[in-house]
């Protein structure tokens, strides 16, 4: 482990900016809220800021991305296809552990199956990741229940943990090691590992009671979800409150639904575009013959939470599909969100 | 690729968002967490606004018609040509159709161009006239023309009544606030014939027969009276014409009202009690897309006055605007009834004041809405239109007959093909402008990208036209126009772009006494005066469209609210919202009529079975869609995209689409 004095974070970031577009948490001046964004001004990076309202997903899976371009020539009946490659190297600085785990889930979806998604792969290969331990959790967090925080275990190039006047720096890759050496960081000493463990343990113990209580319930909910032992009335209750906005999928660091569209450009060729999508939309599943037009809403809700918590999905991701970031609860017009769903399932079990 | 703060421009909720911009293109959108109203939420439309803002189907150059095609021309040529043609018309031969999606600055200038330069008072908006009607009633009844409550304080409410439409579809984030209020303890009741999602999220749902919402609201007032829940003594001091109104109410028989509306008397009394007991009561109704009707708005206002709920800094009457800047457009006086700032057009003092401010002589001849001109005015010769983004164009044939049509538009659409001259328009993120949401919140939307092909802002084109027509206008930016608005519109007197840049919107009135805006305008006594709004004491049954129960037993309602995805020519340029409304079309390619489960059973109808709908005047064939959401005896046809509008409805639609209180008596026949 290495030691990075607080006032040298600037050096680290400036160094990264030489070869990467730097992304990180910053505060919006007027609303005061935290956004994970490409930093136009590096000094706006705020490593102390709360968990950003948006996950870093957009850096790997943009909301709207041209993936290829093709041109069909009528006369010659020829099609020319061209890969659009605009992927720039990016450094994600100050990722929270939940969000890093979110990326690892996306990796398994896009890279870990039969077909490797080449566009995603290119984004992924050009990433430099610096995670940042949560020395205290934020009110919406429950990563302790989903085994995804408050500190990162794997997947980073460098990992920071604030300890007094500086950061303990853990190295996770060759790239990371190289950077540390270039910056000439000094070793943090023999006690560093223990110190980090102590800091993390303190953080874990300061989670909201709600998160701690829910810890056991999340696994019971997982169980129920997997075995289908949840009464239809629970889903109906949840379905009635769903506004079908798609937000829970868009803001989830692990949601990977996408849509593909062909857009004809005025200058001739056609762009093939990939955009975010959500299983909460009727058109996504294209249910045919909806006799009861309401029922599918519940089914779609059911599907998303199944995807986040069931065993069968966990097997795919090698971890639960939910990383406990609490974002889906904050953006939901219906006040649903994963924590509430767990509460409803819990109420059903206990009959409260 | 970075995120910039902005506001959603679809509906009148005015949610805050972050637009992700890369170079000169919008690539994504995300909700703005700190926004005082939307608090980090967006609806499905708002989540896809970047798809619309990506489209290349723009109008990028001025065009002049030549025969059946258009010739691209320079701005100079288009402006000279337009000015020379406009010179040949008198004010009453012209009509102006403003856009509720355009900014306050654009609408203000458009209105000034009509009134001050062209001396025409035929000035209105492309949306329905419900907001104007609502403003007139509220001005008469409480002295304030717009929402009297506060959306950002809604979670403290203990009683919320939602009347008509379906807010979860029209203004989803306002509906979401109501839902959150309920979850923190408010009692929520919905009055609508349809079982909407809003109704499902309510503790009480009253389902009056189509056409009887106003009667149900009067019955609620009557129930307050018969249950002894009104402080009669003090009422006459509080409200101007209390005695006459109470007499009017006396003539209402609750039992009869219950029979006519189809709502149980006990249900009415239960709701009246809840209302009476509340400390912070809100009422919501839709305006702009398919507004609540005049009588129901008056009855709702009277109900609140009777219970003494309006003069406290909690709660209020809340018209909810269906289109982004609908309220602002009316604030700017794009209306035959009001000059900028709600000065009535039938009052000489309003005109004198405006002449003074504008330093120009104005014509007093009463104006009409553009729709009324098209419908009934044979002397109409020319029309100026801003962003007509409806797919369905009424009065097409009349418009084709006109001598001269000017169109200002951002996107290519069916309306553009009717024009003589077309001016391209910026979309809302290509220039600065302010937009006023339902709760009077004026928000500044700042320029985020450069317009394609050097498109000029509308204020610049209007200024050059005005100069060419002999009134040199000095405007150099939208900011300067706002500076003028703050002198002309008293409710905006304390506003400037500079002030708005540092805020997330301020609610008008913003003036010397309220520099930070006003949350509850009726909490202060200044300007407040209460008066019941009603029309004599007619037999209430006469006002009910009874139909011919024998031959035409069904009430056919044409609805715009339930499947409404915003002006379709806008939505068609998105991917996901388009796909979502197409999902229904895929299932019912020829359109559908909704039939209740009970009626379907009685008539032996299956899902998708073809049926014939027969009215006095015509008939049509559609597929059946069996719906648990509508009342027996009622039929519902969504009016939202061309393919789904059966031809014969076109003719009746101007009546039917006024609001969901209008219906057509029809008969339903099974087609084997
Ligand atoms: S969920 Fe856990 S890892 Fe994520 S921000 Fe909160 S505490 Fe940190
Ligand atoms: S965020 Fe909430 S309302 Fe929106 S789709 Fe998800 S569950 Fe439904
Ligand atoms: S399901 Fe919700 S809480 Fe879990 S990772 Fe996704 S957004 Fe975060
Ligand atoms: S509620 Fe209206 S303003 Fe808000 S996101 Fe939806 S369309 Fe936009």
């Amino acid at each position: 482990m290495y030691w990075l004095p607080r006032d040298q974070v600037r050096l680290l970031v400036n160094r990264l900016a030489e070869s990467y577009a730097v992304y990180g948490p910053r505060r919006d001046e007027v609303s005061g809220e935290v956004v994970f964004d490409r930093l136009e001004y590096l000094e706006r990076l705020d490593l102390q800021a709360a968990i950003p309202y948006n996950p870093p997903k957009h850096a790997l899976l943009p909301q709207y991305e041209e993936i290829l371009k093709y041109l069909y020539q009528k006369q010659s009946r020829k099609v020319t296809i061209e890969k659009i490659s605009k992927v720039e190297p990016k450094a994600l600085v100050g990722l929270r552990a939940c969000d890093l785990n979110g990326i690892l889930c996306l990796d398994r979806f896009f890279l870990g199956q039969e077909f490797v998604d080449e566009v995603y792969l290119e984004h992924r290969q050009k990433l430099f990741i610096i995670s940042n331990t949560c020395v205290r959790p934020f009110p919406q967090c429950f990563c302790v229940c989903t085994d995804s925080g408050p500190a990162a275990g794997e997947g980073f190039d460098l990992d920071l943990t604030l300890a007094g006047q500086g950061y303990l720096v853990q190295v996770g890759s060759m790239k990371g090691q190289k950077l540390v050496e270039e910056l000439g960081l000094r070793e943090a000493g023999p006690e560093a590992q223990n110190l980090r463990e102590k800091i993390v343990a303190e953080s874990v113990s300061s989670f909201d009671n709600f998160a701690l209580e829910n810890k056991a319930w999340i696994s019971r909910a997982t169980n129920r979800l997997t075995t289908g032992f949840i009464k239809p009335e629970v889903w109906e209750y949840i379905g009635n409150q769903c506004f079908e906005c798609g937000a829970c999928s868009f803001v989830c660091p692990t949601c990977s639904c996408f849509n593909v569209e062909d857009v004809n450009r005025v200058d001739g060729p056609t762009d093939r575009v990939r955009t975010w999508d959500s299983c909460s939309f009727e058109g996504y599943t294209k249910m045919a013959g909806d006799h009861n037009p309401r029922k599918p809403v519940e089914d779609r809700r059911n599907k998303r939470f199944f995807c986040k918590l069931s065993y069968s999905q966990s097997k795919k991701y090698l971890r639960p599909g939910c990383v406990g970031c609490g974002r889906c609860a904050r953006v939901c017009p219906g006040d649903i969100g994963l924590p509430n769903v767990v509460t409803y399932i819990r109420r059903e079990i206990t009959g409260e | 690729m970075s995120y910039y703060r902005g506001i959603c421009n679809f509906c009148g909720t005015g949610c805050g968002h972050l637009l992700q911009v890369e170079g000169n293109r919008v690539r994504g959108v995300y909700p703005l967490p700190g926004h005082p109203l939307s608090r980090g939420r967006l609806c499905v439309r708002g989540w896809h606004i970047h798809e619309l803002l990506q489209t290349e189907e723009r109008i990028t150059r001025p065009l002049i018609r030549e025969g059946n095609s258009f010739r691209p021309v320079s701005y100079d040529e288009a402006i000279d040509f337009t000015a020379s043609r406009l010179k040949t018309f008198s004010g009453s031969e012209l009509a102006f159709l403003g856009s509720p999606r355009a900014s306050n600055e654009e609408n203000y200038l458009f209105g000034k161009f009509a009134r001050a330069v062209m001396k025409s008072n035929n000035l209105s908006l492309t949306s329905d006239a419900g907001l104007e009607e609502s403003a007139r009633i509220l001005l008469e009844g409480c002295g304030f023309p717009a929402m009297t409550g506060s959306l950002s304080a809604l979670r403290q409410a203990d009683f919320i009544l939602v009347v008509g439409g379906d807010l979860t579809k029209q203004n989803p984030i306002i509906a979401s606030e109501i839902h959150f209020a309920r979850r923190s303890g408010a009692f929520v009741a919905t009055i609508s014939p349809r079982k909407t999602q809003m109704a499902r999220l309510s503790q009480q749902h009253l389902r009056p027969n189509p056409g009887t919402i106003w009667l149900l609201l009067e019955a609620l007032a009557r129930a307050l009276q018969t249950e002894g829940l009104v402080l009669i003594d003090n009422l006459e001091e509080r409200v101007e014409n209390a005695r006459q109104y109470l007499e009017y109410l006396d003539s209402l028989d609750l039992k009869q009202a219950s029979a006519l509306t189809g709502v149980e008397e006990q249900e009415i009394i239960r709701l009246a009690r809840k209302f009476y007991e509340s400390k912070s009561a809100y009422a919501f109704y839709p305006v702009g897309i398919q507004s609540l009707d005049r009588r129901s708005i008056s009855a709702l206002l009277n109900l609140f006055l009777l219970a003494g709920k309006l003069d406290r800094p909690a709660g209020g009457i809340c018209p909810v605007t269906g289109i982004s800047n609908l309220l602002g457009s009316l604030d700017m006086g794009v209306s035959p009834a009001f000059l900028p700032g709600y000065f009535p057009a039938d009052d000489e003092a309003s005109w004198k004041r405006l002449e003074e401010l504008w330093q120009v002589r104005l014509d007093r001849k009463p104006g009409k809405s553009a729709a009324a001109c098209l419908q009934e005015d044979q002397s109409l010769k020319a029309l100026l239109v801003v962003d007509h983004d409806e797919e369905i164009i009424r009065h097409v044939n009349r418009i084709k007959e006109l001598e001269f049509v000017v169109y200002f538009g951002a996107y290519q659409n069916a309306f553009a093909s009717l024009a003589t001259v077309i001016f391209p328009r910026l979309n809302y993120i290509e220039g600065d402008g302010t937009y006023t949401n339902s709760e009077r919140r004026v928000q500044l939307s700042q320029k985020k990208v450069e317009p394609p092909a050097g498109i000029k802002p509308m204020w610049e084109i209007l200024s050059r036209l005005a100069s060419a027509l002999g009134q040199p206008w000095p405007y150099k930016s939208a900011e300067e126009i706002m500076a003028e608005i703050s002198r002309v519109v008293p409710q905006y007197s304390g506003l400037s772009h500079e002030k708005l840049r540092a805020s997330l919107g301020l609610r008008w009135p913003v003036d010397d006494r309220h520099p930070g805006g006003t949350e509850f305008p009726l909490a202060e006594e200044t300007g407040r005066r209460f008066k019941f709004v009603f029309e004599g004491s007619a037999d209430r049954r006469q006002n009910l469209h009874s139909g011919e129960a024998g031959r035409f037993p069904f009430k056919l309602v044409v609805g715009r609210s339930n499947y409404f995805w915003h002006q379709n020519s806008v939505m068609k340029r998105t991917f996901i919202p388009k796909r979502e409304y197409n999902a229904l079309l895929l299932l019912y390619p020829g359109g559908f009529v909704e039939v209740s489960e009970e009626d379907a059973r009685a008539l032996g109808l299956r899902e998708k079975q073809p049926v014939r709908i027969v009215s006095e005047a015509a008939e049509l064939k559609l597929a059946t869609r069996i719906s648990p959401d509508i009342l027996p005896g009622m039929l519902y046809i969504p009016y939202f995209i061309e393919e789904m509008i059966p031809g014969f409805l076109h003719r009746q639609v101007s009546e039917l689409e006024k609001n969901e209180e209008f219906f057509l008596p029809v008969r339903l026949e099974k087609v084997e």
Side-chain angles (χ1 to χ4, degrees):
Chain A
M1 221 163 313
Y2 294 83
W3 179 250
L4 175 69
R6 264 175 132 162
D7 53 10
Q8 285 183 30
V9 173
R10 278 293 293 278
L11 297 179
L12 170 79
V13 174
N14 287 347
R15 185 53 165 260
L16 283 169
E18 288 167 15
S19 9
Y20 298 94
V22 178
Y23 284 62
R26 66 158 175 89
R27 264 181 243 267
D28 176 71
E29 330 82 81
V30 176
S31 67
E33 299 284 345
V34 184
V35 190
F36 193 87
D37 199 0
R38 178 178 176 151
L39 300 171
E40 278 178 293
Y41 307 98
L42 296 177
E43 60 277 16
R44 310 256 320 257
L45 175 75
D46 185 348
L47 290 177
Q48 257 55 258
I51 174 175
Y53 201 61
N54 57 336
K57 183 164 76 174
H58 60 92
L60 293 93
L61 181 64
Q63 197 168 3
Y64 185 108
E65 181 177 33
E66 290 89 358
I67 49 182
L68 57 85
K69 187 196 270 269
Y70 65 86
L71 183 66
Y72 176 68
Q73 271 134 343
K74 264 201 188 130
Q75 283 97 5
S76 58
R77 296 216 195 146
K78 269 222 306 259
V79 187
T80 39
I81 302 182
E82 203 186 305
K83 186 172 163 233
I84 303 178
S85 185
K86 289 195 300 195
V87 177
E88 57 177 352
K90 301 177 204 95
L92 310 186
V93 182
L95 274 196
R96 298 298 177 178
C98 52
D99 284 341
L100 176 53
N101 275 298
I103 293 177
L104 301 182
C105 284
L106 292 178
D107 286 353
R108 297 202 175 99
F109 178 84
F110 285 108
L111 310 174
Q113 305 187 59
E114 204 175 329
F115 296 100
V116 168
D117 187 299
E118 283 182 30
V119 182
Y120 179 90
L121 180 64
E122 195 177 349
H123 280 287
R124 189 64 178 92
Q125 283 172 333
K126 293 182 176 171
L127 279 194
F128 190 97
I129 294 181
I130 302 185
S131 50
N132 182 16
T133 301
C134 302
V135 293
R136 68 187 153 76
F138 309 100
Q140 73 197 59
C141 301
F142 60 99
C143 57
V144 280
C145 314
T146 53
D147 192 21
S148 43
E154 55 168 343
F156 49 82
D157 294 299
L158 294 178
D159 172 66
L160 308 179
T161 302
L162 183 65
Q165 286 313 303
Y167 291 90
L168 299 168
V169 184
Q170 223 180 344
V171 174
S173 72
M174 301 290 286
K175 266 194 284 184
Q177 185 66 38
K178 195 161 156 260
L179 185 66
V180 162
E181 283 164 15
E182 282 171 13
L183 286 169
L185 297 188
R186 68 169 172 84
E187 294 271 355
E191 276 308 298
Q193 193 61 42
N194 283 343
L195 181 58
R196 183 178 186 271
E197 272 164 31
K198 208 178 120 231
I199 291 169
V200 174
E202 247 168 54
S203 173
V204 167
S205 66
S206 59
F207 268 82
D208 228 28
N209 275 343
F210 141 83
L212 296 173
E213 261 173 50
N214 255 349
K215 188 163 182 161
W217 285 107
I218 285 189
S219 60
R220 286 185 72 177
T222 299
N223 202 330
R224 288 256 169 159
L225 270 162
T226 311
T227 49
F229 277 129
I230 290 170
K231 287 205 200 94
E233 296 86 79
V234 177
W235 292 121
E236 189 177 334
Y237 175 73
I238 295 169
N240 276 344
Q241 301 179 70
C242 177
F243 284 63
E244 298 187 66
C245 66
C248 49
S249 303
F250 302 148
V251 307
C252 181
T254 74
C255 272
S256 51
C257 293
F258 61 83
N259 174 42
V260 174
E261 291 278 339
D262 282 357
V263 184
N264 297 321
R265 305 289 305 252
V266 279
D267 56 353
T270 301
D271 283 346
R272 176 149 296 177
V273 172
R274 160 148 80 189
T275 69
W276 290 354
D277 208 337
S278 167
C279 55
S280 66
F281 293 134
E282 186 174 1
Y284 183 78
T285 36
K286 281 215 181 71
M287 296 267 180
D290 61 337
H291 186 78
N292 177 350
R294 212 146 48 77
K295 189 139 187 328
V297 184
E298 291 135 44
D299 292 350
R300 293 195 293 276
R301 280 306 80 234
N302 177 330
K303 186 176 173 301
R304 178 168 186 274
F305 295 109
F306 188 82
C307 184
K308 292 301 122 182
L309 287 179
S310 75
Y311 286 137
S312 38
Q313 284 293 325
S314 305
K315 262 195 277 173
K316 249 193 245 166
Y317 292 134
L318 304 178
R319 53 154 295 108
C322 172
V323 293
C325 71
R327 289 190 182 97
C328 55
R330 287 190 68 196
V331 295
C332 177
D335 197 13
I336 300 173
L338 195 122
N340 271 350
V341 169
V342 172
T343 306
Y344 300 144
I345 295 174
R346 159 178 167 181
R347 273 196 212 142
E348 193 208 346
I349 300 174
T350 59
E352 275 168 43
Chain B
M1 195 133 69
S2 301
Y3 285 103
Y4 298 93
R5 199 168 1 89
I7 47 171
C8 178
N9 192 35
F10 282 131
C11 84
T13 310
C15 298
H17 66 194
L18 293 160
L19 281 182
Q20 198 179 28
V21 180
E22 180 183 37
N24 204 38
R25 291 185 76 186
V26 177
R27 311 292 287 177
V29 65
Y30 207 82
L32 178 70
H35 191 270
L37 166 57
S38 60
R39 307 181 203 222
R41 288 159 298 170
L42 294 172
C43 76
V44 62
R45 299 186 294 252
W47 267 107
H48 297 94
I49 201 164
H50 63 296
E51 294 179 349
L52 167 68
L53 295 171
Q54 292 267 352
T55 183
E56 293 194 337
E57 294 169 35
R58 291 286 297 276
I59 298 170
T60 52
R61 302 192 53 181
L63 301 162
I64 294 180
R65 171 183 294 283
E66 256 164 29
N68 280 329
S69 58
F70 287 93
R71 178 170 61 91
V73 297
S74 66
Y75 276 92
D76 288 342
E77 184 177 347
I79 286 165
D80 288 346
F81 174 69
T82 305
S84 68
R85 291 297 306 272
L86 284 177
K87 264 184 205 147
T88 64
F89 304 109
S90 71
S92 54
E93 289 170 339
L94 290 161
F96 292 77
L97 203 48
S99 166
R101 260 174 228 294
S103 67
N104 289 320
E105 291 79 358
E106 290 169 311
N107 271 301
Y108 171 79
L109 225 52
F110 189 64
K112 183 172 179 181
F113 184 76
R115 290 199 156 108
V117 180
M118 300 314 301
K119 315 290 182 207
S120 172
N121 294 320
N122 297 328
L123 176 62
S124 64
L125 292 165
T126 49
S127 52
D128 80 4
L131 178 66
E132 188 185 285
E133 197 119 69
S134 160
R136 222 183 281 141
I137 294 165
L138 294 184
L139 270 175
E140 190 182 342
C142 68
F144 190 79
M147 185 180 289
T148 74
S150 156
L151 293 176
S152 58
L154 193 59
R155 293 189 192 183
Q156 282 95 58
D158 59 359
F159 178 94
I160 298 171
L161 179 61
V162 186
V163 186
D166 186 357
L167 274 188
T168 59
K169 298 288 184 295
Q170 287 191 19
N171 296 67
I173 299 307
I174 293 179
S176 169
E177 275 305 286
I178 296 174
H179 179 55
F180 274 87
R182 184 195 153 172
R183 288 175 68 84
S184 42
F187 181 84
V188 178
T190 292
I191 294 181
S192 67
R194 267 188 82 94
K195 187 158 185 186
T196 57
Q197 189 183 7
M198 198 66 246
R200 289 197 174 86
L201 294 174
S202 306
Q203 283 101 317
Q204 198 182 358
H205 178 202
L206 280 64
R207 307 182 74 178
N209 291 319
T212 66
I213 288 183
W214 64 272
L215 181 57
L216 179 59
L217 291 166
E218 289 194 348
L220 279 166
R222 178 68 180 148
L224 285 178
Q225 206 186 14
T226 56
E227 296 293 297
L229 304 177
V230 192
L231 302 167
I232 309 279
D233 294 348
N234 142 328
L235 191 66
E236 285 183 33
E237 287 161 34
R238 282 194 339 242
V239 192
E240 203 177 302
N241 50 353
R243 190 159 342 142
Q244 293 91 315
Y245 176 71
L246 289 175
E247 271 166 30
Y248 169 74
L249 261 194
D250 275 340
S251 66
L252 192 148
D253 175 37
L254 262 190
K255 291 221 160 33
Q256 196 186 45
S258 159
L260 291 170
T261 57
V263 178
E264 301 261 349
E265 199 182 336
Q266 281 318 308
E267 286 282 290
I268 300 175
I269 293 172
R270 179 177 164 224
L271 184 57
R273 284 201 168 277
K274 279 280 179 198
F275 176 54
Y276 172 74
E277 287 158 10
S278 66
K279 298 205 165 43
S280 164
Y282 280 84
F284 289 90
Y285 59 88
V287 287
I289 287 158
Q290 195 159 30
S291 309
L292 191 64
D293 64 291
R294 187 170 47 85
R295 275 201 97 168
S296 302
I297 298 174
S298 312
L300 192 59
L301 175 78
N302 295 341
L303 179 67
F304 270 64
L305 286 177
L306 184 66
K309 302 283 188 200
L310 283 186
D311 41 6
R312 43 179 94 168
I317 298 267
C318 306
V320 178
T321 52
I323 307 165
S324 58
N325 197 34
L326 178 55
L327 181 61
S329 311
L330 192 62
D331 299 345
M332 297 302 115
V334 181
S335 147
F338 298 111
L339 304 185
Y342 295 94
F343 291 95
D346 55 9
D347 180 358
E348 175 56 25
S350 316
W351 292 100
K352 282 238 164 69
R353 174 182 178 275
L354 203 55
E355 282 185 333
E356 193 83 349
L357 284 161
W358 283 352
Q359 290 294 306
V360 55
R361 189 193 60 76
L362 297 170
D363 195 302
R364 268 61 161 177
K365 186 168 181 282
K368 283 192 265 189
S369 72
C373 292
L374 284 166
Q375 206 159 336
E376 57 206 43
D377 201 337
Q378 283 314 311
S379 62
L380 184 74
K381 293 198 175 130
L383 185 65
L384 281 82
V385 181
V386 183
D387 256 350
H388 188 292
D389 53 9
E390 275 267 28
E391 202 68 0
I392 300 149
I393 304 162
R394 275 163 294 273
H395 316 295
V396 179
N397 293 330
R398 183 71 184 95
I399 295 172
K400 283 184 184 153
E401 284 167 20
L402 296 177
E403 290 174 23
F404 191 54
V405 178
V406 182
Y407 182 63
F408 296 87
Y411 305 107
Q412 290 159 13
N413 69 6
F415 195 93
S417 64
L418 300 172
T420 326
V421 186
I422 300 174
F423 286 103
R425 226 168 80 68
L426 305 177
N427 71 27
Y428 85 104
I429 56 162
E430 290 162 357
D432 288 353
T434 61
Y435 299 81
T436 307
N437 80 352
S438 294
E439 70 163 344
R440 304 169 270 108
R441 186 180 294 278
V442 186
Q443 308 191 81
L444 175 65
S445 167
Q446 287 177 276
K447 178 171 172 175
K448 297 182 181 63
V449 297
E450 287 301 324
I455 298 177
K456 300 216 181 306
M458 192 167 91
W459 57 260
E460 187 179 329
I461 296 167
L462 287 174
S463 301
R464 287 176 62 182
L465 278 171
S467 304
L469 289 160
Q471 280 185 34
W473 279 1
Y475 312 107
K476 297 268 174 324
S477 67
E479 186 160 6
E480 283 183 22
I481 300 166
M482 180 46 86
E484 180 173 318
I485 293 173
S486 72
R487 291 192 293 275
V488 175
V489 176
Q491 295 87 341
Y492 286 54
S493 61
L495 284 172
S496 65
H497 280 199
E498 194 192 345
K499 197 162 165 185
L500 287 169
R501 265 192 285 271
S503 81
L504 293 167
L506 297 172
R507 285 172 285 191
W508 67 255
V510 186
D511 51 27
D512 284 349
R513 287 190 302 123
H514 317 90
T518 309
E519 189 168 18
F520 292 101
L522 296 182
E524 290 171 37
E525 282 185 36
T526 5
R528 181 175 88 192
R529 51 161 204 286
F530 293 138
K531 187 181 163 196
F532 290 108
V533 182
F534 62 102
E535 298 155 12
S537 173
D539 175 5
R540 291 188 172 77
R541 262 194 298 191
Q542 253 178 22
N543 287 296
L544 287 174
H545 202 317
S546 60
E548 281 182 70
R551 286 171 58 219
F552 301 109
F554 282 94
K555 291 172 174 163
L556 171 65
V557 173
V558 175
R560 295 223 286 172
S561 53
N562 223 261
Y563 297 97
F564 189 71
W565 282 91
H566 265 242
Q567 318 307 62
N568 307 294
S569 55
V570 173
M571 272 304 146
K572 275 189 174 167
R573 296 194 166 84
T574 63
F575 306 144
I576 286 179
K578 179 179 71 184
R579 179 189 73 197
E580 293 304 307
Y581 82 36
N582 276 345
L584 260 183
L585 262 192
L586 290 176
L587 294 171
Y588 306 90
F592 61 81
V593 54
E594 289 191 349
V595 182
S596 70
E597 284 167 336
E598 293 85 343
D599 289 330
R601 213 174 304 122
L603 292 165
L605 298 177
R606 286 170 286 104
E607 189 63 25
K608 295 214 172 86
Q609 171 142 31
V611 284
R612 195 177 296 116
I613 295 171
V614 186
S615 80
E616 188 84 74
E619 61 175 66
L620 76 141
K621 228 171 89 176
L622 281 173
T624 303
R625 180 171 203 242
I626 300 173
S627 167
D629 298 342
I630 68 166
L631 284 169
M634 182 177 163
L635 302 175
Y636 188 95
I637 299 183
Y639 176 85
F640 74 115
I641 86 167
E642 186 92 55
E643 293 89 319
M644 282 185 142
I645 319 288
F648 98 92
L649 279 178
H650 270 310
R651 269 172 274 135
Q652 329 233 12
V653 108
S654 57
E655 265 302 288
L656 280 169
E657 70 160 17
K658 268 194 193 138
N659 53 62
E660 292 194 12
E661 284 290 273
F662 280 86
F663 61 83
L664 195 67
V666 296
R667 159 170 95 232
L668 190 66
E669 293 167 0
K670 184 164 157 182
V671 179
E672 291 300 338

